[in-house]
Amino acid sequence: MPALILPLVDAATHWPERGGLVGLDLGTKTIGVAVSNPDRRLATGVETIQRKAFKQDAARLLAIASERKAVGFVLGLPINMDGSEGPRAQSTRAFARNLAGLTALPIGLWDERLSTAAVERELIGMDVSRAKRAEVIDEHAAIFILQGALDRLANLRAARGLTDPWPS
């Protein structure tokens, strides 16, 4: 059975209480990959995949998910500033549908507006060279996307009256 593809908050109801998530920043040439710890407190960069063919890219992503014992994916959905979805968002949804056919891990879509721009500003502020920024920007964008999703989920848990958003 193919994986569910849902907005982040809805996808979270299909993930177990514990278990890492794999965050993805899909670019046209690369895929930035980040993972969370099992308690979903912290996102960490894993790698930047140079895109080849979908099957190869998906095989690497599924291998990372398996190695990390992940329970789901978070894909950055590039929504336009006016809230509409353009070609990049449609491409992301198509990637999600194709990936869903290869895994049962639920896929959460998370609004990634301005993630790459925010990461670029941060790297410039850290005086990272243009060449080095190009190497790491997608992985850092994946961290930004996944951490934003983790923070949103923690805030929702806290709003539901849980004093510790990550119970032991």
Side-chain angles (χ1 to χ4, degrees):
M1 180 168 121
L4 296 170
I5 304 168
L6 301 164
L8 177 74
V9 174
D10 297 329
T13 64
H14 296 277
W15 294 324
E17 282 293 314
R18 291 193 81 243
L21 300 174
V22 177
L24 305 176
D25 177 51
L26 299 175
T28 55
K29 297 179 183 175
T30 60
I31 301 172
V33 184
V35 296
S36 76
N37 63 324
D39 291 328
R40 300 184 197 143
R41 294 182 191 199
L42 183 65
T44 307
V46 175
E47 68 183 77
T48 298
I49 297 170
Q50 296 300 317
R51 291 185 83 165
K52 296 178 177 97
F54 172 77
K55 287 191 179 199
Q56 286 177 280
D57 300 344
R60 180 64 192 132
L61 294 172
L62 294 173
I64 291 168
S66 176
E67 291 162 11
R68 307 287 177 142
K69 298 178 176 56
V71 298
F73 288 94
V74 175
L75 269 67
L77 185 64
I79 296 175
N80 294 326
M81 292 306 292
D82 66 2
S84 66
E85 292 190 15
R88 287 191 59 231
Q90 293 168 4
S91 176
T92 297
R93 287 187 183 279
F95 185 94
R97 282 190 303 274
N98 291 334
L99 184 61
L102 301 175
T103 184
L105 299 178
I107 299 169
L109 300 174
W110 176 243
D111 182 351
E112 68 147 305
R113 267 182 271 201
L114 301 178
S115 62
T116 301
V119 169
E120 178 109 30
R121 278 193 308 277
E122 183 178 317
L123 292 172
I124 289 170
M126 294 168 41
D127 204 27
V128 175
S129 72
R130 183 182 304 269
K132 184 64 176 169
R133 284 196 312 264
E135 290 176 22
V136 301
I137 191 126
D138 294 314
E139 182 179 324
H140 282 250
I143 296 167
F144 187 90
I145 290 164
L146 183 55
Q147 190 63 55
L150 297 174
D151 293 347
R152 175 69 176 135
L153 294 174
N155 287 339
L156 287 173
R157 289 180 58 83
R160 287 196 316 248
L162 299 175
T163 55
D164 180 2
W166 302 284
S168 300

